[in-house]
């Protein structure tokens, strides 16, 4: 019996279309082996959507995503739109997608690949064996709290305001995701907050402690975010699963990604309660190398593997893709961002070709 899935493709901006093209080839190649059939639809988001429709998240794009089984996103953004009003910025489309699909849980793995260990800016002994999962809350906190805006005070002076707010329900549901993920990994969960200063963080900590009663086999610890940032670069191997809010997670996941030395290798998953998940690389749209066949498609390809594993419950297909990525690295193929001496330089398409061969 063939299992059919509707996949929405959002290539977006910059290198997005190039890395998406490689990934679609990979998905098409593995489908028959696993009795899968994918029905792809491609719709615009971000800068591409602004240029086409004037809206970074056209309603048709959100509708298409809602009707899908999973959404594969590449990257959005570029210099061209950097000075546009907020409603006309690519990032606004991405945030609208996250809230529109209620993707409150963002999973960002940072795993050191043995083949790329020397690409890290930290010493080998510090990073060897690092395997961290950052669970970031994605639809709340200071990104979305009200009031927000730039207001004029009585004296005519402008005042910029954002509000960091979390309700108990928002904390509980992301905490449960954090504990569930920790259960499947090393059974250690570190919740990161700023409870020494922020009331919103005190509530966060109280609720996480409360929820931990349901997960007695997970060892729970807490760190303030400043200390967590320091510990991540000092001794990253102490971490297994990190649970944190939207802004802290944004920052810490970039730091965790860089431990691996290759942000071009890292996938992510954004999940909600029932709607389709969105799977995307952690890196951005790299407008400086767009259209030059220099981009590393592997984070996008690994995002497709995460889509199969976490979005579609097709772990065998996911494993086949992940193994092919390891194989091409073992064979020495490298794009510019992960190049090191004596390795074989390939472009984006070239990496796609060797991947297809490695899939067998
Ligand atoms: C990320 C990005 C986004 C964020 C931007 C592009 C809105 O930095 O996915 O981490 O801040 O969440
Ligand atoms: Mg970020």
């Amino acid at each position: 019996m063939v299992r059919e899935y509707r996949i929405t493709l959002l290539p977006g901006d910059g290198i997005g279309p190039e890395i998406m093209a490689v990934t679609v080839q990979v998905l098409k190649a593995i489908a028959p082996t696993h009795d899968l059939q994918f029905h792809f639809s491609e719709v615009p988001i971000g800068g591409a959507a602004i240029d086409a429709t004037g809206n970074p998240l056209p309603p048709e794009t959100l509708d298409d995503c809602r009707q899908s089984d999973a959404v594969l996103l590449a990257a959005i953004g570029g210099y061209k739109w950097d000075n546009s009003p907020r409603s006309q910025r690519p990032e606004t489309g991405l945030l609208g997608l996250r809230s529109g699909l209620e993707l409150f849980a963002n999973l960002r793995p940072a795993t050191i690949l043995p083949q790329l260990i020397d690409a890290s800016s930290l010493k080998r002994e510090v990073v060897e064996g690092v395997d961290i999962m950052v669970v970031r809350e994605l639809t709340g906190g200071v990104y979305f709290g009200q009031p927000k805006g730039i207001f004029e005070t009585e004296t005519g002076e402008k005042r910029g305001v954002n509000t960091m707010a979390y309700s108990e329900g928002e904390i509980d549901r992301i905490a449960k995701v954090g504990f569930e993920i920790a259960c499947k990994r090393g059974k250690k969960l570190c919740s990161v907050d700023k409870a020494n200063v922020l009331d919103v963080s005190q509530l966060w900590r109280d609720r996480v402690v409360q929820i931990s009663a349901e997960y007695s086999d997970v060892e729970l610890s807490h760190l303030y975010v400043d200390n967590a940032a320091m510990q991540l670069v000092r001794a990253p191997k102490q971490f297994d699963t990190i649970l944190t809010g939207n802004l802290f997670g944004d920052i810490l996941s970039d730091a965790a990604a860089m431990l691996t030395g290759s942000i071009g290798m890292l996938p992510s998953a954004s999940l909600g309660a029932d709607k389709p998940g969105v799977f995307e690389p952690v890196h951005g749209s790299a407008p400086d190398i767009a259209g030059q066949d220099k981009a590393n498609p592997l984070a996008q390809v690994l995002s497709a593997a995460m889509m199969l594993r976490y979005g579609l419950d097709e772990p065998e297909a996911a494993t086949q893709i992940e193994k092919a990525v390891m194989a091409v690295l073992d064979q020495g193929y490298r794009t510019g961002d992960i190049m090191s001496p004596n390795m074989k330089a390939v472009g984006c398409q070239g990496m796609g070709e060797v991947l297809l061969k490695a899939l067998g």
Side-chain angles (χ1 to χ4, degrees):
M1 250 281 277
V2 172
R3 295 179 302 286
E4 299 189 34
Y5 296 111
R6 273 209 53 179
I7 314 278
T8 300
L9 304 175
L10 303 173
D13 306 320
I15 59 170
E18 301 163 55
I19 58 178
M20 188 64 93
V22 168
T23 306
V24 169
Q25 286 179 340
V26 167
L27 284 169
K28 284 184 177 159
I30 58 124
T33 324
H34 303 277
D35 292 325
L36 304 177
Q37 197 177 348
F38 299 117
H39 302 281
F40 297 109
S41 59
E42 189 178 308
V43 283
I45 190 170
I50 297 171
D51 288 352
T53 71
N55 182 345
L57 182 66
E60 300 76 34
T61 292
L62 190 55
D63 282 347
D64 198 283
C65 294
R66 287 199 169 116
Q67 284 158 29
S68 280
D69 296 303
V71 178
L72 196 56
L73 168 65
I76 52 105
Y79 313 124
K80 184 175 168 190
W81 308 280
D82 275 354
N83 296 315
S84 307
R86 197 160 296 285
S87 67
Q88 297 285 298
R89 286 211 202 151
E91 290 78 5
T92 304
L94 180 59
L95 296 177
L97 182 71
R98 289 173 180 171
S99 63
L101 295 177
E102 294 172 71
L103 304 168
F104 65 87
N106 184 214
L107 315 186
R108 296 189 165 186
T111 309
I112 289 267
L113 300 176
Q115 299 95 332
L116 300 181
I117 201 153
D118 294 316
S120 177
S121 53
L122 297 188
K123 290 189 198 117
R124 174 178 274 267
E125 56 268 32
V126 175
V127 291
E128 197 157 37
V130 161
D131 180 6
I132 300 173
M133 177 72 89
V134 178
V135 179
R136 168 190 177 193
E137 200 291 326
L138 203 59
T139 51
V142 71
Y143 273 54
F144 292 95
Q146 294 289 346
K148 64 193 274 181
I150 299 176
F151 304 103
E152 214 162 285
T153 63
E154 282 164 9
T155 63
E157 190 191 18
K158 282 186 179 154
R159 193 159 178 268
V161 179
N162 287 92
T163 303
M164 191 186 276
Y166 274 117
S167 65
E168 290 178 306
E170 285 176 305
I171 302 168
D172 291 4
R173 67 180 180 177
I174 190 69
K176 284 181 187 159
V177 173
F179 281 105
E180 295 289 342
I181 299 275
C183 274
K184 295 191 192 134
R185 293 175 40 93
K187 300 201 179 333
K188 272 172 64 183
L189 184 68
C190 178
S191 172
V192 174
D193 61 37
K194 190 69 188 171
N196 51 345
V197 177
L198 302 176
D199 298 315
V200 55
S201 278
Q202 187 59 56
L203 183 65
W204 177 280
R205 192 174 279 220
D206 294 347
R207 291 311 308 171
V208 171
V209 169
Q210 188 82 29
I211 299 292
S212 73
E214 297 163 35
Y215 298 90
S216 52
D217 52 340
V218 175
E219 180 193 321
L220 173 66
S221 61
H222 305 272
L223 280 182
Y224 299 135
V225 62
D226 47 351
N227 189 15
M230 185 171 72
Q231 296 300 332
L232 260 180
V233 289
R234 192 187 73 83
K237 276 182 261 184
Q238 69 185 285
F239 294 106
D240 175 58
T241 307
I242 293 178
L243 168 69
T244 191
N246 205 341
L247 179 63
F248 300 156
D250 179 45
I251 300 166
L252 294 180
S253 65
D254 265 26
M258 214 47 223
L259 296 173
T260 70
S262 44
I263 197 164
M265 293 297 304
L266 297 175
S268 76
S270 303
L271 306 172
D274 46 19
K275 296 190 182 63
V278 172
F279 302 84
E280 60 180 303
V282 169
H283 65 70
S285 59
D288 52 324
I289 57 163
Q292 301 171 35
D293 194 33
K294 287 184 180 164
N296 180 353
L298 295 179
Q300 184 75 63
V301 169
L302 290 170
S303 299
M306 272 192 111
M307 173 182 86
L308 290 163
R309 190 181 302 283
Y310 293 100
L312 304 178
D313 202 15
E314 296 286 353
E316 279 117 39
T319 303
Q320 192 194 356
I321 293 180
E322 288 159 353
K323 281 194 175 151
V325 169
M326 293 310 130
V328 297
L329 293 175
D330 285 337
Q331 290 156 16
Y333 293 107
R334 302 283 187 274
T335 44
D337 57 314
I338 52 173
M339 192 60 196
S340 59
N342 305 322
M343 293 293 149
K344 301 174 207 158
V346 283
C348 184
Q349 289 182 29
M351 187 61 102
E353 283 158 23
V354 293
L355 259 179
L356 290 178
K357 282 202 198 110
L359 287 169

